[in-house]
């Protein structure tokens, strides 16, 4: 766990140094980084199940759709996939930040904080793979749910959506990233 | 043309059938396994890319299967229906109903429901990516790597896009014919080198696969059919063989050298000599073939010479056997036990009868003797201070005519002096049997052990020839009535073995014809310590 955190933090330093310039970073194609984020998202779900008191309030959150039909997904181009992933990550980031305001249980708060930083790291990884969306329009809380979003009413559902999203769409995108394909071939 | 077309169609049909059958076999085996292991009412698994859910037929219902309806929904969408099909399992003779979702959504929560005649029977919520049930890996091959105790195992991964980097494999291997197998787990990679195997042995290898549990989860697949492979035999380097032989030879030579140089010492330790008394008895075993009597008769002189040297260490006590010298009064003599009595018993066998004969002497003065006896009579307590004998002298009384006279239960050395004077014969006997007192009484002919000890208190009795009338008690032929040994006495004797000695002291007849008379009279035997 610590090794991965260290690795990711080093990567983040590199990416931050790169800034908004044209990405000359080496693409991060190792899916073990994403697997690490997936495990930490699952840990949050476990902590949530065992949480007694100070575990957030019933609130509606707008979260991305997570379902993947392989047949359909294969027909979407990479940038469309990237757009979906980036939008979804932004939504999750927003929702998690929103949820943290009402969480007083410290292990859960710590886990949520971890998840938020992981989502930021994923954004940087997508940037390194040149898959960052050109423009991301984040719907605010008042906007109605779009076709790309769904509404959940509790923190456990939010965490489940986060887990499914990372395992599904994000992973499929990263595994099929052209930058990584170029590297392998 | 039409014939060719029909042939092609037939081939395609056969292939499809084969594929379906194979797939069907896999499907049925998976269904059977989940029927056993899964506890949910609706059992679901993803075979390739599609989710299949099935349930067992209700026992009450025997009729049409189309009464069942299966619906599913996800992400707040409306319920979608799925076609229900029956399947009869031949192995377990059960009927199941299953539904294969046409478009399975992954990474989202699916809500499935089973209705029977409008009545909800079962329901379940699950994520499809958590129930992968893969087919066993294909093309398992086992080959020898050429190195000792190693085998190369390789196989093909499941043909699933996006999932091939999320697989974990289990390789099981065992010696052919054995049930004890080992398992190796390997992630992602589809080849493995088995190490630490026995040489020149045939092994069976199986493989199975499962999602690694991070992005995808599922059940273990079935094991593949076993594939056999043999490890290469041990290749002995000739140099190693040569070195081993050379070192073995050197070790052998070294050990032989050590053994030969110390063979005497080793022989002594491992095979010690049995001690024999042969050196003490010159010629006994070689010339006389162990016949001690013969040897004794021939070696008296030399024995005496030696025994003198021996006896200087001891304190032999002359035992006077006085014949009837008109002593009418009973003089109780207290036979004092000699301390060296025990020592005398331990004397070696050289103290034999021959010594007795040499020791026989006549007291220098009969008058002096009489005086001593009178003194004893007057002062019985002064026996211990009797100048006649050393304090540790032992008196032995002889009762020639009375075989059955039993001495009371007193110390065996304590015998009434009167018996000294009741012996038949004119000669006084002088004998020293310091250890006779310790002899246990026994019935039988009058024989005594030839062991005796002598004491020369003042050297007043020079050794005389054999013509003297001194006789060893041993050959007197008189009965020796000794009191049974007291327990204390027995204890003192301790380890000495007591035996009944019927040995006839036949040397005496040769030397002392006088004594021979006595031999013939009387009877008695006694046992003495073994020498």
């Amino acid at each position: 766990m610590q090794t991965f955190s260290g690795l990711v933090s080093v990567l983040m330093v590199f990416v931050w140094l790169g800034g908004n310039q044209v990405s000359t970073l080496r693409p991060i194609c190792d899916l073990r980084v994403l697997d690490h984020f997936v495990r930490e998202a699952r840990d949050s779900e476990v902590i949530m199940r065992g949480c007694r008191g100070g575990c957030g309030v019933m609130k509606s959150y707008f979260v991305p759709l997570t379902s993947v039909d392989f047949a359909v997904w294969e027909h979407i181009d990479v940038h469309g996939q990237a757009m979906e992933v980036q939008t979804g990550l932004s939504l999750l980031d927003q929702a998690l930040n929103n949820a943290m305001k009402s969480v007083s249980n410290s292990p859960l708060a710590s886990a949520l904080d971890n998840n938020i930083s992981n989502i930021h790291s994923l954004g940087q990884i997508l940037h390194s793979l040149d898959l960052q969306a050109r423009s991301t329009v984040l719907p605010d809380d008042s906007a109605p749910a779009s076709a790309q979003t769904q509404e959940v009413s509790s923190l456990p559902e939010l965490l489940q959506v986060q887990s499914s999203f990372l395992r599904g769409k994000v992973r499929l995108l990263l595994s099929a990233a052209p930058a990584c394909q170029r590297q392998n071939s | 043309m039409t014939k060719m077309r029909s042939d092609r169609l037939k081939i395609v049909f056969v292939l499809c059938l084969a594929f379906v059958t194979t797939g069907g076999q896999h499907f049925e085996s998976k269904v059977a396994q989940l029927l056993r292991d899964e506890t949910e009412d609706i059992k679901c698994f993803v075979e390739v890319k599609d989710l299949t859910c099935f349930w067992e037929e209700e026992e009450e219902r025997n009729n049409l299967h189309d009464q069942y309806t299966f619906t599913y929904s996800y992400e707040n969408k409306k319920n979608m229906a799925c076609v229900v099909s029956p399947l009869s399992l031949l192995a377990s003779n059960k009927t199941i109903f299953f539904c294969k979702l046409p478009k399975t959504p992954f990474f989202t929560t699916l809500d499935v429901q089973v209705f029977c005649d409008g009545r909800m029977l079962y329901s379940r919520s699950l994520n499809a990516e958590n129930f992968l049930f893969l087919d066993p890996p294909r093309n398992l091959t086992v080959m020898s790597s050429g190195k000792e105790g190693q085998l190369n195992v390789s196989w093909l991964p499941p043909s699933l896009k996006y999932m091939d980097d999320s697989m974990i494999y289990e390789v099981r291997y065992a010696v052919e014919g054995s049930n004890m197998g080992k398992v190796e787990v390997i992630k992602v990679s589809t080849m493995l080198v088995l190490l630490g195997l026995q040489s020149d042995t045939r092994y069976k290898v199986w493989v199975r696969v499962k999602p690694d549990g991070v992005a995808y989860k599922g059940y273990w697949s079935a094991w593949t059919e076993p594939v056999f492979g043999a490890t290469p035999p041990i290749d002995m380097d000739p140099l190693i063989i040569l070195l081993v032989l050379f070192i073995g030879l050197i070790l052998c030579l070294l050990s032989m050298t050590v053994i030969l140089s110390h063979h005497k010492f080793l022989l002594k330790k491992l095979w010690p000599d049995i001690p024999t008394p042969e050196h003490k008895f010159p010629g006994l075993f070689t010339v006389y073939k162990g016949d001690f009597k013969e040897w004794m008769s021939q070696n008296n002189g030399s024995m005496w010479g030696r025994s003198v040297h021996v006896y200087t260490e001891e304190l032999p006590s002359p035992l006077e056997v006085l014949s009837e010298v008109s002593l009418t009064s009973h003089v109780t003599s207290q036979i004092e036990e000699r301390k060296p009595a025990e020592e005398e018993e331990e004397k070696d066998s050289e103290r034999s009868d021959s010594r007795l004969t040499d020791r026989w002497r006549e007291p220098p003065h009969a008058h002096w003797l009489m005086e001593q006896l009178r003194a004893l009579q007057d002062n019985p307590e002064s026996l211990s201070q009797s100048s006649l004998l050393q304090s540790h002298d032992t008196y032995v009384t002889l009762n020639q005519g009375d075989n059955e006279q039993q001495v009371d239960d007193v110390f065996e050395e304590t015998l009434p002096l009167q018996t000294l004077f009741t012996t038949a014969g004119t000669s006084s006997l002088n004998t020293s049997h310091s250890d006779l007192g310790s002899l246990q009484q026994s019935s039988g002919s009058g024989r005594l052990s030839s062991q005796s000890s002598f004491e020369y208190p003042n050297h007043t009795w020079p050794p005389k020839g054999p013509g003297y009338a001194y006789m060893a008690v041993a050959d007197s032929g008189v009965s020796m009535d000794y009191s049974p040994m007291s327990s204390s006495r027995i204890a003192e004797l301790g380890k000495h073995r007591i035996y009944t000695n019927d040995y006839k002291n036949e040397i005496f007849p040769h030397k002392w014809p006088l004594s021979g008379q006595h031999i013939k009279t009387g009877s008695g035997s006694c046992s003495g310590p073994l020498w």
Side-chain angles (χ1 to χ4, degrees):
Chain A
M1 294 275 281
Q2 287 177 353
T3 322
F4 278 118
S5 301
L7 172 68
V8 168
S9 54
V10 166
L11 291 170
M12 289 308 105
V13 167
F14 270 104
V15 172
W16 179 78
L17 286 172
N20 291 327
Q21 294 165 9
V22 174
S23 173
T24 55
L25 296 170
R26 283 179 64 86
I28 302 163
C29 293
D30 195 347
L31 286 174
R32 286 180 294 178
V33 178
L34 177 61
D35 287 347
H36 179 66
F37 296 158
V38 167
R39 286 195 198 96
E40 290 198 326
R42 198 179 297 159
D43 293 344
S44 295
E45 284 184 87
V46 171
I47 294 167
M48 185 71 231
R49 277 196 288 270
C51 179
R52 302 282 178 264
C55 311
V57 295
M58 294 292 284
K59 215 173 168 182
S60 74
Y61 306 98
F62 286 103
V63 288
L65 296 170
T66 59
S67 63
V68 172
D69 187 340
F70 287 108
V72 172
W73 182 263
E74 281 171 3
H75 287 99
I76 304 173
D77 74 329
V78 169
H79 291 287
Q81 293 173 359
M83 177 74 116
E84 266 194 68
V85 166
Q86 197 77 351
T87 313
L89 287 174
S90 304
L91 281 169
L92 283 170
D93 183 32
Q94 214 170 41
L96 284 169
N97 276 302
N98 212 351
M100 265 191 76
K101 292 174 192 171
S102 58
V103 167
S104 57
N105 183 285
S106 67
L108 183 61
S110 162
L112 291 176
D113 194 44
N114 213 9
N115 295 145
I116 290 165
S117 68
N118 289 348
I119 286 168
H120 293 162
S121 306
L122 274 172
Q124 301 298 327
I125 290 169
L126 287 174
H127 180 68
S128 76
L129 297 173
D130 203 21
L131 293 172
Q132 197 169 24
R134 305 288 162 89
S135 61
T136 51
V137 179
L138 297 174
D140 55 14
D141 292 346
S142 58
S146 63
Q148 302 276 340
T149 64
Q150 60 175 327
E151 194 178 346
V152 293
S153 56
S154 67
L155 185 52
E157 283 177 90
L158 166 62
L159 293 174
Q160 195 179 18
V161 163
Q162 180 199 210
S163 189
S164 297
F165 190 72
L166 292 176
R167 288 161 69 196
K169 288 182 177 176
V170 176
R171 199 170 200 281
L172 287 169
L173 176 66
L174 290 179
S175 64
C180 297
Q181 302 302 322
R182 277 198 300 271
Q183 230 179 20
N184 293 338
S185 61
Chain B
M1 278 292 285
T2 48
K3 273 194 181 176
M4 279 175 66
R5 254 186 163 181
S6 64
D7 287 339
R8 280 180 194 168
L9 280 170
K10 277 180 190 174
I11 291 163
V12 169
F13 176 74
V14 165
L15 284 171
C16 285
L17 194 68
F19 180 75
V20 167
T21 327
T22 320
Q25 279 178 357
H26 280 297
F27 181 79
E28 272 202 39
S29 64
K30 287 173 188 173
V31 165
Q33 184 177 329
L34 286 179
L35 271 177
R36 280 195 311 266
D37 302 337
E38 186 62 67
T39 54
E40 296 275 350
D41 294 317
I42 303 175
K43 304 172 208 303
C44 301
F45 63 94
V46 173
E47 203 170 8
V48 180
K49 285 267 173 65
D50 298 315
L51 181 72
T52 303
C53 290
F54 67 93
W55 59 97
E56 274 185 85
E57 185 182 27
E58 271 189 310
E59 288 177 4
E60 297 101 36
R61 300 201 63 83
N62 305 324
N63 301 340
L64 308 167
H65 53 266
D66 53 359
Q67 307 264 345
Y68 286 112
T69 45
F70 183 90
T71 61
Y72 65 98
S73 68
Y74 62 97
E75 285 180 344
N76 301 324
K77 292 181 181 173
K78 59 179 183 178
N79 281 357
M80 286 163 274
C82 174
V83 176
V84 176
S85 309
L87 180 71
S88 294
L89 299 172
L90 301 167
S92 55
N93 201 20
K94 285 181 185 177
T95 305
I96 58 128
F97 296 93
F98 69 95
C99 172
K100 199 168 178 182
L101 271 64
K103 283 184 183 180
T104 306
F106 285 85
F107 305 107
T108 186
T109 304
L110 275 170
D111 297 313
V112 295
Q113 287 166 337
V114 173
F115 292 89
C116 182
D117 290 334
R119 174 174 60 91
M120 194 175 84
L121 208 58
Y122 311 117
S123 72
R124 193 179 172 185
S125 292
L126 67 152
N127 277 39
E129 72 276 6
N130 294 339
F131 294 93
L132 297 191
F133 202 153
L134 303 162
D135 290 339
R138 292 167 293 124
N139 273 31
L140 174 63
T141 54
V142 178
M143 292 176 63
S144 170
S145 64
K147 291 184 184 176
E148 197 180 318
Q150 285 186 17
L151 281 176
N152 284 349
V153 183
S154 65
W155 58 92
L156 290 179
S159 53
L160 291 169
K161 217 173 170 182
Y162 309 119
M163 296 178 198
D164 48 0
D165 57 349
S166 302
M167 297 299 157
I168 183 169
Y169 302 95
E170 233 182 38
V171 178
R172 182 162 68 106
Y173 59 99
V175 176
E176 188 183 16
S178 162
N179 289 333
M180 299 282 291
K182 286 186 184 176
V183 169
E184 294 274 349
V185 175
I186 180 164
K187 288 185 181 178
V188 183
S189 174
T190 58
M191 59 177 294
L192 178 69
V193 179
L194 297 174
L195 302 171
L197 305 176
Q198 297 173 24
S199 299
D200 200 19
T201 314
R202 257 173 81 86
Y203 280 86
K204 277 192 295 188
V205 183
W206 301 261
V207 177
R208 64 178 181 177
V209 65
K210 193 181 88 156
D212 64 359
V214 179
Y216 301 96
K217 294 180 191 174
Y219 304 100
W220 275 112
S221 74
W223 290 105
T224 58
E225 289 298 314
V227 175
F228 294 87
T231 47
I234 296 172
D235 187 20
M236 285 293 283
D237 195 2
L239 181 65
I240 292 171
I241 295 169
L242 210 65
L243 280 171
V244 166
L245 284 172
F246 189 64
I247 289 166
L249 193 69
I250 289 171
L251 285 171
C252 282
L253 284 170
L254 275 172
S255 55
M256 275 183 65
T257 313
V258 167
I259 289 168
L260 285 171
S261 60
H262 295 94
H263 78 279
K264 282 185 183 172
F265 173 75
L266 288 168
L267 206 66
K268 212 175 176 182
K269 287 288 173 190
L270 295 170
W271 199 262
D273 292 333
I274 301 168
T276 63
E278 197 170 331
H279 63 286
K280 296 282 187 183
F281 298 89
L284 172 60
F285 296 103
T286 53
V287 178
Y288 297 99
K289 306 285 188 291
D291 189 349
F292 190 74
K293 286 186 236 175
E294 287 291 326
W295 179 82
M296 275 289 288
S297 62
Q298 299 297 325
N299 287 295
N300 278 336
S302 62
M303 282 305 299
W304 284 121
R306 215 173 318 136
S307 60
V308 166
H309 171 75
V310 173
Y311 276 136
T312 48
E313 297 170 0
E314 289 133 17
L315 304 166
S317 312
L319 182 69
E320 288 199 3
V321 180
L322 303 175
S323 61
E324 62 279 6
V325 187
S326 68
L327 286 175
T328 56
S329 58
H330 294 272
V331 179
T332 55
S333 66
Q334 291 178 3
I335 298 170
E336 290 147 7
E337 193 178 23
R338 272 159 296 205
K339 284 177 192 174
E342 292 175 17
E343 298 164 8
E344 287 146 2
E345 288 157 11
E346 293 167 6
K347 289 171 198 160
D348 55 12
S349 54
E350 291 158 21
R351 272 166 287 200
S352 59
D353 295 341
S354 58
R355 253 179 278 144
L356 280 172
T357 61
D358 280 343
R359 297 284 180 260
W360 293 348
R361 294 177 291 279
E362 192 178 17
H365 307 286
H367 301 293
W368 174 79
L369 198 69
M370 289 301 297
E371 284 169 15
Q372 291 296 324
L373 282 171
R374 279 199 203 96
L376 280 170
Q377 193 175 4
D378 296 334
N379 194 4
E381 289 80 20
S382 66
L383 258 181
S384 56
Q385 292 127 25
S386 167
S387 59
L388 181 67
L389 296 163
Q390 293 281 343
S391 61
H392 45 272
D393 290 347
T394 298
Y395 281 98
V396 176
T397 61
L398 305 174
N399 188 1
Q400 193 174 14
D402 188 356
N403 292 337
E404 289 159 8
Q405 180 180 348
Q406 295 287 334
V407 185
D408 341 339
D409 195 9
V410 294
F411 222 95
E412 55 260 14
E413 288 90 1
T414 310
L415 293 170
L417 250 181
Q418 63 180 348
T419 60
L420 283 169
F421 308 106
T422 60
T423 51
T426 54
S427 56
S428 56
L429 303 171
N430 181 18
T431 178
S432 64
H433 278 275
S434 60
D435 55 348
L436 274 179
S438 64
L439 298 178
Q440 194 170 18
Q441 178 185 7
S442 64
S443 61
S445 58
R447 302 282 179 266
L448 285 173
S449 83
S450 56
Q451 186 169 9
S452 61
S453 63
F454 293 86
E455 181 177 7
Y456 305 96
N458 299 314
H459 296 280
T460 51
W461 300 329
K464 299 280 180 163
Y468 275 85
Y470 283 99
M471 288 173 56
V473 177
D475 76 341
S476 66
V478 298
S479 64
M480 305 294 297
D481 293 331
Y482 293 100
S483 62
M485 288 166 63
S486 64
S487 56
S488 58
R489 192 73 185 132
I490 292 166
E492 285 170 9
L493 283 177
K495 53 197 179 221
H496 300 291
R497 283 181 286 158
I498 310 293
Y499 72 98
T500 303
N501 183 13
D502 280 334
Y503 162 70
K504 294 189 181 184
N505 203 339
E506 296 173 37
I507 57 172
F508 302 114
H510 298 294
K511 302 284 183 185
W512 300 276
L514 227 90
S515 61
Q517 299 169 10
H518 295 272
I519 286 172
K520 290 163 192 168
T521 61
S523 65
S525 67
C526 60
S527 56
L530 189 67
W531 49 265

